[in-house]
């Protein structure tokens, strides 16, 4: 009938920094929760298995997961420190501090810089 988009509001929507930081805060929280759950499952598997099974599990993990260890370590550090610093920002907002929109962009740059410095310091 007409050659118009079905949802014109989607084409003009601009992503806001606050909504983007909220989404990444949730993603990092889910990642950290899954990491803790799978770590506990792994520890339970180790404690309830015999020594031969432990060696088999260790060999499988050593062959397949060890390659990604440094990458997973960096992702863990990134998500952990981002989650902590963004949670601190949310607590400050709940206390009605730093609600200026100009501060949000500056705070995102500060958080990114601090996270990069912490990860570089911990990896080296």
């Amino acid at each position: 009938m007409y050659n118009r988009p079905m949802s014109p509001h989607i084409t003009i929507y601009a992503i806001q920094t606050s909504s983007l930081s909220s989404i990444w805060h949730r993603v990092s929280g889910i990642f950290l929760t899954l990491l803790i759950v799978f770590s506990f499952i792994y520890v339970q598997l180790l404690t309830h298995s015999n020594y031969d099974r432990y060696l088999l599990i260790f060999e499988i993990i050593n062959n397949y997961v060890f390659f990604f260890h440094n990458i997973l370590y960096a992702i863990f550090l990134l998500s952990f420190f981002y989650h902590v610093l963004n949670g601190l920002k949310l607590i400050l907002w709940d206390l009605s501090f730093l609600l200026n929109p100009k501060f949000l962009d500056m705070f995102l740059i500060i958080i990114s810089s601090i996270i990069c410095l912490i990860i570089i310091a911990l990896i080296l």
Side-chain angles (χ1 to χ4, degrees):
M1 189 168 182
Y2 296 108
N3 195 8
R4 289 188 276 177
M6 295 293 284
S7 305
H9 66 281
I10 293 176
T11 60
I12 61 171
Y13 179 73
I15 297 176
Q16 299 169 346
T17 309
S18 60
S19 63
L20 191 62
S21 68
S22 174
I23 291 169
W24 280 112
H25 185 76
R26 293 174 187 188
V27 168
S28 66
I30 290 170
F31 175 74
L32 291 171
T33 303
L34 289 175
L35 188 69
I36 290 170
V37 167
F38 286 124
S39 296
F40 283 137
I41 290 172
Y42 177 69
V43 168
Q44 287 293 322
L45 285 173
L46 288 180
T47 57
H48 293 298
S49 65
N50 58 14
Y51 186 69
D52 294 333
R53 192 178 292 168
Y54 169 72
L55 287 177
L56 178 66
I57 292 171
F58 182 74
E59 186 68 28
I60 291 170
I61 289 176
N62 204 14
N63 287 338
Y64 296 110
V65 177
F66 187 72
F67 177 72
F68 299 106
H69 180 264
N70 289 336
I71 296 169
L72 288 173
Y73 184 62
I75 291 172
F76 167 74
L77 289 176
L78 176 69
S79 63
F80 178 75
F81 287 114
Y82 177 78
H83 196 77
V84 168
L85 292 174
N86 196 34
L88 178 65
K89 178 192 74 167
L90 293 174
I91 289 172
L92 290 174
W93 280 5
D94 288 341
L95 297 173
S96 299
F97 291 114
L98 308 171
L99 291 174
N100 188 0
K102 292 179 182 178
F103 172 75
L104 185 60
D105 294 329
M106 182 183 69
F107 193 71
L108 187 62
I109 293 170
I110 291 171
I111 285 177
S112 302
S113 303
I114 290 173
I115 288 172
C116 290
L117 290 174
I118 289 172
I119 290 174
I120 289 171
L122 289 176
I123 289 178
L124 298 178

